[in-house]
Amino acid sequence: MNGNAMSNRFSDYESQWLAPYAMHSQDSEGRVHSEPTHPYRGPFQRDRDRIIHSSAFRRLAHKTQVFTGEMGDYHRTRLTHTLEVASIARTLGRALRLNEDLIEALCLAHDIGHPPFGHAGEDVLDECLKEHGGFNHNRQALRIVELLESRYPDFPGLNLSQEVLSGQTTRARRGSTSEQPLLEVQVVDAADSIAYDSHDADDSLELGLLEFDQLLAVPLWREAAEHVQSRYTALQPAQLRSAIVHRLIEKLVSDLLSATWERLDEEAVQSVVAVRSCNRRLVGPSKEIASHKAQLESFLFNEVYRHPTVLKKRSIAGEALQAMFERFSSHPEKLPDKFFKRADVDGLPRAIGDFLAGMTDRYSLDEYRRGA
Ligand code: MG
């Protein structure tokens, strides 16, 4: 079978399976640097593969999600968070008959721009770069995939499809807000939130930052706990916790699907154009669950993200990044060649920001201690 025949089979498969409001590969706006179609992979599959093979993606394994590496081996890293988001989002996407390949590519890239030490690192870099446009992990993800990755001889970055770039642009709030993003993009945002709500509660309990009883004050968690305990009476604490997390994800996913189907029906959406011109986002939880999620998130914000142990780690990380930013500003010749050259194009502060943002947690602390 030749390449054209394969690519026809691919569009046949999509037109049979995908909903009319899904993003079909054959309607893609393509890439900045045009490339021939691949004989047996669709455009969004190629995007996914390029992201997985990028060095920025591999480094997510050694970057903080909420809790730093030395706090233990159980909790989520930026990489495992990303994979959990992809798992939830693909489930949602398949049930809604959306483009799973596009969803997966968007998920795998969504946190690729995070600097070491998560939001602590982001805040420090934003402060260091405040006179030069600031720093934001969503915008940094675009810099990485459009510019900083250098894997291909024919173009800078990964030359991803426009739909992946525009999805990430929506996250970076750079795009127009008058148009709604594709449903595939909306699914990724929803899955991100389901993943961190459930895994941050789980990790906090494992790390001893929260006591089980504290979480029972949160209705969403309490309902899940009661559901599990009504079925199993003699679970060990770790089994109970896992079962509650599973129940929580299941409940959030089921609610999101039924609320989204309802909105799709109400708006009678039949095309991508109709999705874009809708006056509201269609993918999201029901009102009741949205308010319960907000309670859980506010609880996690106050009790976990502001926990003294977490704040202490944040401040150590912040000091290291700030000091390195100042050192490289005084001694740009110490930057690796790639970033030293970027200073000619983007200015020294941005080049330092790119270098520091690409570091893993461990590498950044090693460099700091060795006087980089
Ligand atoms: Mg995320």
Side-chain angles (χ1 to χ4, degrees), residues 147-194:
L147 200 63
L148 297 177
E149 278 287 325
S150 47
R151 293 181 48 77
Y152 302 94
D154 294 331
F155 44 77
L158 304 179
N159 200 30
L160 301 178
S161 302
Q162 288 298 336
E163 290 70 26
V164 179
L165 297 179
S166 68
Q168 186 59 32
T169 304
T170 306
R171 294 179 66 86
R173 303 277 190 268
R174 261 183 10 188
S176 153
T177 50
S178 62
E179 223 181 38
Q180 298 299 337
L182 294 171
L183 293 176
E184 283 81 357
V185 176
Q186 299 185 31
V187 157
V188 175
D189 288 346
D192 191 17
S193 150
I194 292 174

Side-chain angles (χ1 to χ4, degrees), residues 81 110-111 192:
H81 160 72
H110 91 283
D111 269 353
D192 191 17

Side-chain angles (χ1 to χ4, degrees), residues 20-319:
Y21 43 71
M23 180 68 214
H24 292 239
S25 300
Q26 65 179 8
D27 299 329
S28 169
E29 287 176 28
R31 307 172 189 279
V32 169
H33 305 275
S34 72
E35 296 180 52
T37 54
H38 192 274
Y40 50 85
R41 286 182 301 161
F44 304 131
Q45 280 180 287
R46 293 174 87 180
D47 293 332
R48 175 204 59 201
D49 295 346
R50 287 176 187 194
I51 295 160
I52 286 182
H53 289 278
S54 69
S55 65
F57 182 78
R58 285 194 297 283
R59 274 179 270 140
L60 294 177
H62 306 289
K63 289 193 176 195
T64 291
Q65 172 65 22
V66 173
F67 310 110
T68 53
E70 75 274 22
M71 292 171 79
D73 293 331
Y74 175 88
H75 60 266
R76 276 68 172 179
T77 63
R78 193 61 68 179
L79 179 66
T80 60
H81 160 72
T82 294
L83 298 176
E84 289 187 25
V85 173
S87 161
I88 293 169
R90 288 184 60 188
T91 297
L92 293 169
R94 193 175 300 184
L96 293 164
R97 295 175 61 207
L98 298 174
N99 195 317
E100 244 179 282
D101 292 331
L102 174 56
I103 285 175
E104 193 177 11
L106 286 162
C107 285
L108 298 182
H110 91 283
D111 269 353
I112 212 170
H114 266 288
F117 300 106
H119 291 288
E122 180 164 33
D123 291 347
V124 169
L125 289 181
D126 191 37
E127 178 66 23
C128 291
L129 288 164
K130 70 178 177 206
E131 307 291 327
H132 312 278
F135 180 91
N136 167 281
H137 73 271
N138 284 317
R139 288 204 304 268
Q140 190 66 14
L142 286 168
R143 275 183 76 70
I144 290 169
V145 301
E146 290 181 313
L147 200 63
L148 297 177
E149 278 287 325
S150 47
R151 293 181 48 77
Y152 302 94
D154 294 331
F155 44 77
L158 304 179
N159 200 30
L160 301 178
S161 302
Q162 288 298 336
E163 290 70 26
V164 179
L165 297 179
S166 68
Q168 186 59 32
T169 304
T170 306
R171 294 179 66 86
R173 303 277 190 268
R174 261 183 10 188
S176 153
T177 50
S178 62
E179 223 181 38
Q180 298 299 337
L182 294 171
L183 293 176
E184 283 81 357
V185 176
Q186 299 185 31
V187 157
V188 175
D189 288 346
D192 191 17
S193 150
I194 292 174
Y196 60 66
D197 281 352
S198 47
H199 69 48
D200 288 351
D202 183 37
D203 287 349
S204 308
L205 289 169
E206 172 67 23
L207 291 170
L209 300 176
L210 284 180
E211 295 297 327
F212 186 83
D213 287 351
Q214 277 180 280
L215 265 166
L216 294 177
V218 181
L220 206 49
W221 183 271
R222 186 173 62 243
E223 187 280 334
E226 286 168 357
H227 177 90
V228 172
Q229 284 170 319
S230 70
R231 282 159 180 75
Y232 305 96
T233 48
L235 291 181
Q236 295 299 310
Q239 285 179 306
L240 174 62
R241 196 176 75 222
S242 298
I244 295 171
V245 171
H246 292 158
R247 165 69 188 170
L248 191 59
I249 295 175
E250 180 81 20
K251 177 163 180 159
L252 294 174
V253 166
S254 309
D255 170 80
L256 187 123
L257 284 174
S258 55
T260 301
W261 276 316
E262 207 172 299
R263 290 187 206 102
L264 286 165
D265 276 353
E266 283 166 10
E267 301 284 342
V269 166
Q270 285 300 321
S271 68
V272 165
V273 173
V275 167
R276 288 192 192 280
S277 59
C278 239
N279 61 7
R280 57 175 174 164
R281 280 204 176 208
L282 299 173
V283 178
S286 65
K287 266 194 181 152
E288 185 200 354
I289 293 294
S291 106
H292 283 181
K293 272 178 99 287
Q295 283 175 302
L296 173 58
E297 283 160 17
S298 132
F299 176 87
L300 290 171
F301 182 84
N302 292 320
E303 304 298 328
V304 176
Y305 310 145
R306 300 270 144 209
H307 191 284
T309 308
V310 174
L311 290 180
K312 179 138 194 280
K313 300 285 179 198
R314 284 177 67 111
S315 89
I316 295 169
E319 279 167 32

